[in-house]
């Protein structure tokens, strides 16, 4: 794992998309109960109103399984909602990626490391299978030296395991890190309201359903925005 301090970052743009006359992608409780159906309808609406921006041929991508649609927009998830997974949030936007840049200032405790591993597992499943994926993590250095030592050991282990799955992790300790967002070479910027820390703590250890499946975890209230990268 390479570690370095980073310099200035470029400005970002957010595109807001009106969906079904209710503002920017706000979902009703019924839609949140059927997230895949809602995402399909939202993607169809954006495709009809936005035109073709040339991102992998179309804003509306078809494929197999539940991760077949990628579209610009904004979503709000309710406190305590279940059925929300990193696959659902990210897979269709990262499919075919070879370069991912993640900004999350708080990756120092073990549960935050678990969130990072679960996100990187999605990357490993959808990246270009013929190429290795460069993955840059911008995060804060833990304040106390003893905590930083644990942080480094955790990130070193994650780096080692990621390399076995074709992902080259580069950790940059950024003292000015604050906002949470990610960029991929698939043409998308994703703005993460809470970063990767979207789940409530749960009990039960190895025998608890939320341990093995994100669908069973309750989320903290959060928002997420998807924008075409116009750099």
């Amino acid at each position: 794992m390479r570690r370095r301090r980073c310099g200035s970052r470029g400005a970002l743009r957010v595109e807001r998309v009106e969906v079904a006359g209710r503002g920017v992608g706000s979902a009703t409780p019924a839609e949140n109960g059927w997230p895949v159906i809602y995402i399909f309808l939202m993607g169809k609406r954006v495709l009809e109103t936005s035109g073709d921006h040339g991102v992998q041929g179309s804003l509306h991508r078809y494929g197999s399984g539940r991760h077949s649609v990628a579209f610009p927009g904004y979503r709000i998830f309710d406190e305590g909602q279940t059925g929300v997974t990193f696959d659902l949030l990210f897979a269709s936007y990262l499919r075919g990626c070879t370069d991912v840049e993640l900004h999350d200032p708080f990756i120092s405790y073990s549960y935050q490391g678990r969130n990072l591993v679960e996100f990187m597992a999605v990357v490993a499943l959808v990246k270009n299978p013929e190429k290795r994926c460069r993955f840059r993590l911008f995060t804060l250095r833990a304040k106390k030296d003893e905590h930083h030592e644990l942080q480094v050991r955790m990130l070193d282990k994650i780096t080692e395991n990621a390399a076995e799955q074709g992902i080259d992790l580069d950790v940059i300790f950024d003292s000015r890190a604050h906002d949470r967002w990610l960029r991929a070479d698939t043409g998308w910027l994703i703005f993460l309201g809470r970063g990767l820390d979207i789940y409530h703590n749960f009990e039960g250890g190895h025998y608890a359903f939320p341990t093995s499946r994100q669908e069973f975890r309750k989320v903290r209230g959060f928002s997420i925005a998807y924008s075409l990268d116009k750099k």
Side-chain angles (χ1 to χ4, degrees):
M1 176 181 68
R2 294 174 294 162
R3 296 180 288 273
R4 65 178 186 274
R5 300 183 183 276
C6 74
S8 60
R9 295 194 299 263
L12 304 177
R13 299 190 185 97
V14 177
E15 294 183 0
R16 297 168 68 88
V17 180
E18 295 291 332
V19 179
R22 287 198 310 277
V24 185
S26 56
T28 66
E31 289 167 334
N32 277 327
W34 297 92
V36 177
I37 293 175
Y38 171 59
I39 286 176
F40 174 79
L41 294 175
M42 185 176 178
K44 184 174 185 296
R45 173 69 173 175
V46 171
L47 178 66
E48 292 173 349
T49 59
S50 300
D52 186 3
H53 290 258
V55 178
Q56 295 195 7
S58 174
L59 297 180
H60 197 186
R61 290 187 273 161
Y62 295 89
S64 60
R66 59 191 296 185
H67 318 301
S68 57
V69 179
F71 57 88
Y74 181 84
R75 287 208 70 192
I76 297 174
F77 291 87
D78 295 330
E79 179 74 17
Q81 184 176 336
T82 58
V84 183
T85 69
F86 286 172
D87 277 342
L88 182 65
L89 296 175
F90 302 117
S92 62
Y93 296 89
L94 300 176
R95 186 174 290 118
C97 66
T98 61
D99 195 311
V100 176
E101 176 183 344
L102 172 64
H103 293 251
D104 191 325
F106 304 112
I107 306 290
S108 58
Y109 292 103
S110 60
Y111 74 91
Q112 295 166 336
R114 181 198 65 197
N115 291 335
L116 176 61
V117 168
E118 292 181 348
F119 173 73
M120 295 182 73
V122 174
V123 175
L125 289 173
V126 301
K127 73 176 187 68
N128 186 329
E130 299 179 355
K131 298 181 179 179
R132 300 189 65 82
C133 180
R134 179 189 184 193
F135 191 112
R136 287 167 291 169
L137 170 65
F138 293 77
T139 193
L140 288 174
R141 181 189 189 278
K143 293 182 179 180
K144 296 183 178 179
D145 289 340
E146 59 269 27
H147 291 166
H148 179 59
E149 291 177 6
L150 293 174
Q151 178 188 31
V152 169
R153 286 203 293 269
M154 177 185 73
L155 291 171
D156 279 342
K157 188 61 177 179
I158 294 173
T159 300
E160 178 183 341
N161 292 335
E164 296 178 358
Q165 304 303 326
I167 300 175
D168 299 316
L169 175 60
D170 184 13
V171 179
I172 300 96
F173 290 114
D174 180 6
S175 62
R176 296 169 299 173
H178 181 273
D179 290 354
R180 300 158 176 86
W181 55 277
L182 69 89
R183 169 188 282 129
D185 62 348
T186 55
W188 291 98
L189 286 172
I190 304 178
F191 299 89
L192 311 165
R194 294 190 62 93
L196 299 179
D197 187 19
I198 64 173
Y199 297 110
H200 280 288
N201 294 331
F202 54 87
E203 299 179 353
H206 296 297
Y207 307 110
F209 279 34
T211 301
S212 60
R213 299 287 300 190
Q214 292 180 334
E215 289 91 339
F216 295 106
R217 301 177 194 173
K218 293 182 179 180
V219 301
R220 307 171 189 272
F222 74 98
S223 62
I224 186 167
Y226 306 92
S227 176
L228 294 168
D229 189 359
K230 296 184 177 180
K231 64 179 179 179

